[in-house]
Amino acid sequence: MSDTTGAAEPAGIATALAEVRREIAASAASAERAPGDVTLVAVSKTQPVASLKAALATGQRVFGENRVQEAAAKWPELRADHPGLELHLIGPLQTNKVKEAVALFDVIETVDRPKLAAALATELARAPKHLRCYIEINTGAEPQKAGVDPADLETLLALCRNDYKLPVTGLMCIPPQDEDPALHFALLADLARRHQLSEISMGMSGDFPLAIRFGATHVRVGTAIFGTRLVSAL
Ligand SMILES: *Cc1c(COP(=O)(O)O)cnc(C)c1O
């Protein structure tokens, strides 16, 4: 299934995708949720176009990328041939890349500060498009990490909703590496419920079944589908 670099071959990608989808369905069932409640975001950062095509050939249509520049190089051509594609930006967004990001992506998962919210609102007013935003929460309150502090969510959300009319529909988190993700998943799900946000993006290759148990509506899975990345991008 994998060659010596760790990157999966096309046949391996189809097999791995089927296995991840099976695990999603099983986790949803054991949490008494409908399998359709959980969307698989295939994280294709650093993966070559051949790998993206292998995933597209299986019917996968929702993908996550963490860099605007990389997505711009890989996706516009593929999108033309694959209607129904939904691209999620899951990496940090600088305000000077907002225009390009809005043109490329369908969901911006990493809104985490007023300046970025303002820039997104300005761009959407200039070039209207159906796009959804999630607010990224720094659930572990890690100093160096992206995401808004849970205590500041209410203020940022009010700003997005009332002042900027941004279409915020969900929350996203990346739990600290050295902690039990369960606490972070529970916190994110609770914040989403309290603020009436229907989309909850949490869970990666190592912990997506657990995230589904805690209410994830979107799981972001990379290496379990595509194999190890040649370049570390997180
Ligand atoms: C890379 C990345 C993922 C996927 O991680 P895997 O462990 O490869 O599944 C999920 N979310 C974010 C924000 C990422 O950057």
Side-chain angles (χ1 to χ4, degrees), residues 21 64 94 143 148 163 177 181 191 198 200 214 223 226:
R21 290 193 191 113
Q94 295 167 309
V148 66
D163 296 34
Q177 294 220 338
L191 289 170
S198 60
I200 305 175
F214 279 91
T223 48
F226 295 108

CSV table of all heavy atoms in Angstrom, one decimal, residues 21 64 94 143 148 163 177 181 191 198 200 214 223 226:
chain,number,residue,atom,x,y,z
A,21,ARG,N,-14.0,5.8,5.6
A,21,ARG,CA,-15.5,6.0,5.5
A,21,ARG,C,-16.2,4.9,6.3
A,21,ARG,O,-17.2,5.2,7.0
A,21,ARG,CB,-15.9,5.9,4.1
A,21,ARG,CG,-15.5,7.1,3.2
A,21,ARG,CD,-16.2,7.1,1.9
A,21,ARG,NE,-15.6,8.1,1.0
A,21,ARG,CZ,-15.0,7.8,-0.1
A,21,ARG,NH1,-14.9,6.6,-0.5
A,21,ARG,NH2,-14.4,8.8,-0.9
A,64,GLY,N,-9.5,19.4,2.3
A,64,GLY,CA,-8.9,20.5,3.2
A,64,GLY,C,-7.5,20.7,2.8
A,64,GLY,O,-6.7,19.8,2.5
A,94,GLN,N,-3.6,34.8,6.4
A,94,GLN,CA,-3.2,36.2,6.6
A,94,GLN,C,-4.1,37.1,5.8
A,94,GLN,O,-4.6,36.7,4.8
A,94,GLN,CB,-1.7,36.3,6.1
A,94,GLN,CG,-0.7,35.5,6.9
A,94,GLN,CD,0.6,35.4,6.1
A,94,GLN,OE1,0.6,35.1,4.9
A,94,GLN,NE2,1.7,35.7,6.8
A,143,PRO,N,-0.3,29.4,24.2
A,143,PRO,CA,0.2,30.7,23.8
A,143,PRO,C,0.5,30.9,22.4
A,143,PRO,O,0.2,31.9,21.7
A,143,PRO,CB,1.4,31.0,24.7
A,143,PRO,CG,1.3,29.9,25.8
A,143,PRO,CD,0.5,28.8,25.3
A,148,VAL,N,-9.0,31.5,18.7
A,148,VAL,CA,-9.5,32.4,19.7
A,148,VAL,C,-9.6,31.7,21.0
A,148,VAL,O,-9.9,30.5,21.1
A,148,VAL,CB,-10.8,33.1,19.3
A,148,VAL,CG1,-11.9,32.1,19.2
A,148,VAL,CG2,-11.1,34.3,20.2
A,163,ASP,N,-21.8,43.0,13.2
A,163,ASP,CA,-21.1,44.1,12.5
A,163,ASP,C,-20.7,43.7,11.1
A,163,ASP,O,-20.9,44.4,10.2
A,163,ASP,CB,-19.8,44.5,13.3
A,163,ASP,CG,-20.1,45.1,14.6
A,163,ASP,OD1,-21.0,44.6,15.3
A,163,ASP,OD2,-19.3,46.0,15.1
A,177,GLN,N,-1.2,18.5,21.3
A,177,GLN,CA,-0.7,17.2,21.0
A,177,GLN,C,-0.5,16.3,22.2
A,177,GLN,O,-0.7,15.1,22.0
A,177,GLN,CB,0.7,17.3,20.3
A,177,GLN,CG,0.6,18.0,18.9
A,177,GLN,CD,1.5,17.4,17.9
A,177,GLN,OE1,2.5,16.8,18.3
A,177,GLN,NE2,1.2,17.6,16.6
A,181,PRO,N,-7.5,14.3,23.8
A,181,PRO,CA,-8.4,15.2,23.0
A,181,PRO,C,-9.8,15.2,23.4
A,181,PRO,O,-10.5,16.2,23.1
A,181,PRO,CB,-8.2,14.6,21.6
A,181,PRO,CG,-7.7,13.2,21.8
A,181,PRO,CD,-7.0,13.2,23.0
A,191,LEU,N,-19.4,24.5,23.2
A,191,LEU,CA,-19.4,25.9,22.7
A,191,LEU,C,-20.3,26.1,21.5
A,191,LEU,O,-21.1,27.0,21.3
A,191,LEU,CB,-18.0,26.4,22.4
A,191,LEU,CG,-17.0,26.6,23.5
A,191,LEU,CD1,-15.6,26.8,23.0
A,191,LEU,CD2,-17.5,27.8,24.4
A,198,SER,N,-24.0,24.9,13.9
A,198,SER,CA,-24.3,23.5,13.6
A,198,SER,C,-23.2,22.7,13.1
A,198,SER,O,-23.2,21.5,13.0
A,198,SER,CB,-25.5,23.5,12.5
A,198,SER,OG,-25.0,24.2,11.4
A,200,ILE,N,-19.2,21.3,13.4
A,200,ILE,CA,-18.2,21.2,14.4
A,200,ILE,C,-17.1,20.4,13.8
A,200,ILE,O,-17.2,19.2,13.5
A,200,ILE,CB,-18.7,20.4,15.6
A,200,ILE,CG1,-20.0,21.1,16.2
A,200,ILE,CG2,-17.7,20.2,16.7
A,200,ILE,CD1,-20.7,20.3,17.4
A,214,PHE,N,-18.1,12.6,20.2
A,214,PHE,CA,-18.3,13.9,20.9
A,214,PHE,C,-19.1,14.9,20.0
A,214,PHE,O,-19.3,16.0,20.4
A,214,PHE,CB,-17.0,14.5,21.4
A,214,PHE,CG,-16.5,13.9,22.7
A,214,PHE,CD1,-15.7,12.8,22.7
A,214,PHE,CD2,-17.0,14.4,23.9
A,214,PHE,CE1,-15.2,12.3,23.9
A,214,PHE,CE2,-16.6,13.8,25.1
A,214,PHE,CZ,-15.7,12.8,25.1
A,223,THR,N,-3.3,11.8,6.8
A,223,THR,CA,-2.4,10.6,6.7
A,223,THR,C,-3.1,9.3,6.6
A,223,THR,O,-2.6,8.4,5.9
A,223,THR,CB,-1.3,10.6,7.8
A,223,THR,OG1,-2.0,10.8,9.0
A,223,THR,CG2,-0.3,11.7,7.6
A,226,PHE,N,-3.9,9.4,2.8
A,226,PHE,CA,-2.9,9.6,1.7
A,226,PHE,C,-1.5,9.1,2.1
A,226,PHE,O,-0.6,9.1,1.3
A,226,PHE,CB,-2.7,11.1,1.4
A,226,PHE,CG,-4.0,11.7,0.8
A,226,PHE,CD1,-4.8,12.6,1.6
A,226,PHE,CD2,-4.3,11.5,-0.5
A,226,PHE,CE1,-5.9,13.1,1.0
A,226,PHE,CE2,-5.4,12.0,-1.1
A,226,PHE,CZ,-6.2,12.9,-0.3
